[in-house]
Amino acid sequence: MLTDHLEWHQGQLVLPEDPAAWYQLGAGGGWQAVVADTTHLIAHDIVTARAGGRPGLTAAWCSLPFSVPVLCALATGPGVAALQTAIKAASAEGLPLQRAVVVLSSPGEGRIPAAVKAAATMLQSLVAAVVTVPCDPHIRTHGLADPDRLSRRTKEAAERAVAAVLAAAHRTWGDPLPPAPIPAALPAGPTQDPAQPVSEGGLTT
């Protein structure tokens, strides 16, 4: 997992959208696991892709070797309602919900609403696991810039989420996991003629 350690309120980095690029990066770096945090709207992506007769971004992520989808939502009435819509769309599209993990994030202190508990119970029969993450004021204020100050409950929830992802992978592909296929090398780009002048902007003159 790559993190920029920027302040929580700062804008997001511009990163590649193509899931294959991240798989290429993970394979090239020899890493055993890659955690990619996406922000695309899952239900909208699935419906739009189907209407346009093209592969969607969600399906592309799910099709990567040994990928385990982690669907995140706020532990609120509107949050789980949006999550249920996304799961219905994913189920209709035949995406691998049986190995997906749902993470419900509490936006504040206090008890989880009854509607959220009911939704979590319903989702347990559709996905591999449902994990609830408690509210952590430190994350809200500082993000992950200082992970040593995360609360014990937050760390325990993170451990449960990681264990759920690993268990879903083992149930699907076996334990230990077989080696992932190595993707083909990216095609080499055009080479620059050393005798050709280049402007400051990198364009040939």
Side-chain angles (χ1 to χ4, degrees):
M1 179 176 179
L2 303 179
T3 179
D4 50 35
H5 289 287
L6 294 176
E7 291 295 332
W8 189 245
H9 57 79
Q10 291 184 297
Q12 296 178 340
L13 297 176
V14 178
L15 300 172
E17 186 180 67
D18 187 356
W22 292 98
Y23 181 60
Q24 190 90 30
L25 177 65
W31 296 335
Q32 291 184 316
V34 174
V35 179
D37 185 9
T38 71
T39 58
H40 72 282
L41 303 176
I42 294 177
H44 176 75
D45 169 67
I46 294 173
V47 173
T48 302
R50 174 177 279 273
R54 58 175 178 77
L57 188 58
T58 305
W61 279 111
C62 292
S63 67
L64 292 180
F66 307 141
S67 68
V68 176
V70 179
L71 307 178
C72 303
L74 284 178
T76 62
V80 295
L83 175 64
Q84 289 171 321
T85 299
I87 285 182
K88 288 179 182 179
S91 177
E93 194 64 14
L95 298 183
L97 289 176
Q98 71 279 1
R99 67 171 189 263
V101 174
V102 167
V103 175
L104 300 175
S105 177
S106 300
E109 299 290 348
R111 295 182 177 180
I112 296 177
V116 175
K117 290 183 179 180
T121 301
M122 182 275 294
L123 291 173
Q124 287 176 352
S125 63
L126 300 176
V127 299
V130 178
V131 178
T132 301
V133 178
C135 176
D136 192 327
H138 179 75
I139 293 180
R140 185 174 296 276
T141 305
H142 302 287
L144 295 176
D146 190 5
D148 292 335
R149 296 183 60 185
L150 296 177
S151 72
R152 175 184 56 81
R153 295 172 61 211
T154 298
K155 293 178 180 179
E156 290 174 350
E159 291 173 356
R160 290 195 300 271
V162 171
V165 169
L166 188 58
H170 285 162
R171 282 195 300 269
T172 305
W173 297 288
D175 184 7
L177 293 172
I182 299 176
L186 295 175
T191 57
Q192 173 67 41
D193 184 350
Q196 191 173 17
V198 178
S199 68
E200 291 184 359
L203 301 176
T204 56
T205 57

